[in-house]
Amino acid sequence: MPQVLTARDVAALLDSGQPIPEGALLTPTARDLVGERQRDAGSFARGAGRALPAVVPSAAPAAVPAAPALPAVAATVPDHEFKWAPGSDPQTPAEIQRFFASPRIEEIKHRICDLGRRLWLKDFTDGNGGNITVRVGDNLVLCTPTLICKGFMKPEDLALIDLDGRQLAGTRKRTSEALTHLGIMKRQPAAKACVHAHPPHATAFAIANAAVPTCLIPEAEVFLGKIGVAPYQTPGTPENADEVGRLGVDHQAILMQNHGVIVWGKDVEDAYWKIENLDAYCRTVAIAKGLGTGLHQFGPDKLKDLIDLRLKLGMPDARANLRECELCDGGETRPGVVVPPGGAPAPADPPPDAQVEALVQRITDEILRRLSAE
């Protein structure tokens, strides 16, 4: 076997004037060292007065058998959407009970309880506030019960209702605000889950009647879309269900004036994320407004790109057919301005009364006359 020399071995030989053995294999760093020495000194004695020959590249090592190719791994995205065959809803009481206790439904019950606790831990709900629904059939919806803290729910607490709100299974009474969720689900088939809560920053916008500005953060435009604003109606009433349901067709995130927030998604995790997204966005906007330098918006051409991305991700967006000049607002939250249905700013106040203006002018003139006479 030929001798293998490292850079340290070669340096010792050259420094002592000894020749490099014929046939020796040099490591790459050893070959580099020889080249450097040859460039620096021209030639080196290899034995008595002989120049160092050019280093012959070492023989290639024996081929190592290639490792077997690993099978390609298909990258996946978590998908918790509940899918069912149309027309497969259970009909009889016994069938409904079996369905309600089935492994697939139990899995969703546990996920709802987990998300309820996450809502509670983030202070998005207080007391018995908030509610969650998941559509699990043509006419079947899982929902949270009334009068329960969302941070301490158990799977056996949940109820099964139909799209008219009639309870089909579960020992605890369903939440009265389920009607609002159903108002969205009836009108928007893509709404497979809804989450209602009172996240403080987003709810602050709702009670201040402040429209949430657009064209500020890309993630908000992609994952939330245009944020709707529903006029106030008493919670749990058919009127509130109609107002919110109408907006839910084109808006995945809705501020309910003087109440809170409701969002929908393809599954309950997706809907929960939107609650987090919305509150974080409102918090950031409120902080940025307080800096006093104004809000820097990107242009409508950039918003068009984000809307296209949103559509590619399978999320509807009613802004897709708008012209660029109709997309971005002025970046103003317009505090104190009531936002009517559809989220557009309220019309300007009517012009002042002419008689009142004339009276104010006469009073002002009289005050100025008296001041000048003194």
Side-chain angles (χ1 to χ4, degrees):
M1 178 179 293
Q3 183 181 5
V4 178
L5 299 180
T6 66
R8 179 175 297 179
D9 297 332
V10 170
L13 290 171
L14 297 178
D15 291 342
S16 63
Q18 299 181 47
I20 296 176
E22 295 289 346
L25 296 180
L26 305 185
T27 64
T29 52
R31 292 200 302 272
D32 292 341
L33 176 62
V34 172
E36 291 174 4
R37 293 290 183 95
Q38 288 175 334
R39 285 191 298 271
D40 292 342
S43 63
F44 292 88
R46 191 185 205 196
R50 291 183 299 158
L52 283 174
V55 177
V56 179
S58 59
V64 178
L70 295 175
V73 177
T76 61
V77 176
D79 184 4
H80 302 300
E81 180 180 354
F82 187 89
K83 299 178 177 67
W84 67 89
S88 63
D89 286 3
Q91 301 299 320
T92 68
E95 290 173 343
I96 290 172
Q97 288 300 325
R98 283 197 298 270
F99 176 79
F100 188 57
S102 65
R104 293 182 70 199
I105 297 302
E106 288 297 319
E107 180 182 353
I108 298 177
K109 291 178 185 177
H110 280 84
R111 184 166 291 119
I112 289 174
C113 292
D114 174 61
L115 294 175
R117 185 161 185 81
R118 286 156 66 179
L119 287 170
W120 179 75
L121 288 171
K122 292 185 73 67
D123 289 333
F124 288 176
T125 64
D126 56 289
N128 64 299
N131 29 75
I132 303 171
T133 55
V134 178
R135 191 170 181 178
V136 291
D138 294 338
N139 193 32
L140 297 172
V141 177
L142 278 176
C143 76
T144 50
T146 189
L147 298 176
I148 192 170
C149 174
K150 302 308 171 293
F152 297 92
M153 293 187 298
K154 300 183 292 296
E156 55 266 30
D157 293 326
L158 302 186
L160 183 69
I161 61 176
D162 64 18
L163 286 174
D164 291 321
R166 290 184 292 263
Q167 186 153 341
L168 305 175
T171 58
R172 294 194 59 147
K173 184 180 178 181
R174 57 98 168 155
T175 173
S176 61
E177 292 196 75
L179 295 179
T180 306
H181 300 228
L182 301 177
I184 296 175
M185 291 179 176
K186 286 180 177 180
R187 293 171 173 86
Q188 175 52 271
K192 298 293 185 65
C194 296
V195 177
H196 161 56
H198 311 128
H201 303 91
T203 302
F205 274 76
I207 65 177
N209 296 320
V212 182
T214 60
C215 299
L216 294 174
I217 298 178
E219 290 81 359
E221 300 298 342
V222 173
F223 296 111
L224 292 174
K226 178 68 175 177
I227 298 166
V229 181
Y232 177 80
Q233 296 289 349
T234 302
T237 62
E239 292 78 12
N240 194 52
D242 287 340
E243 289 285 1
V244 174
R246 175 177 56 81
L247 282 173
V249 175
D250 294 327
H251 302 272
Q252 284 194 273
I254 300 169
L255 301 182
M256 295 185 286
Q257 285 184 345
N258 302 94
H259 184 185
V261 170
I262 189 167
V263 298
W264 65 262
K266 67 180 183 62
D267 58 65
V268 71
E269 183 88 21
D270 180 38
Y272 169 79
W273 286 346
K274 286 173 172 48
I275 285 275
E276 285 197 356
N277 295 153
L278 180 56
D279 198 64
Y281 184 59
C282 290
R283 181 174 69 249
T284 302
V285 170
I287 293 172
K289 289 286 290 184
L291 297 178
T293 58
L295 302 178
H296 178 267
Q297 293 180 289
F298 46 79
D301 56 327
K302 302 300 183 185
L303 179 55
K304 270 288 190 184
D305 294 339
L306 299 173
I307 292 173
D308 290 342
L309 177 57
R310 179 174 166 81
L311 295 174
K312 289 177 182 177
L313 292 173
M315 292 179 280
D317 199 306
R319 302 172 295 176
N321 297 321
L322 295 180
R323 295 172 298 174
E324 286 188 2
C325 62
E326 300 174 298
L327 287 175
C328 289
D329 53 37
E332 293 299 320
T333 53
R334 298 185 293 280
V337 176
V338 175
V339 182
D349 293 334
D353 185 273
Q355 291 182 339
V356 173
E357 287 294 301
L359 177 60
V360 171
Q361 187 62 52
R362 287 199 301 272
I363 294 172
T364 302
D365 292 342
E366 181 63 21
I367 292 173
L368 292 175
R369 186 187 67 78
R370 293 189 181 188
L371 288 174
S372 61
E374 293 180 356

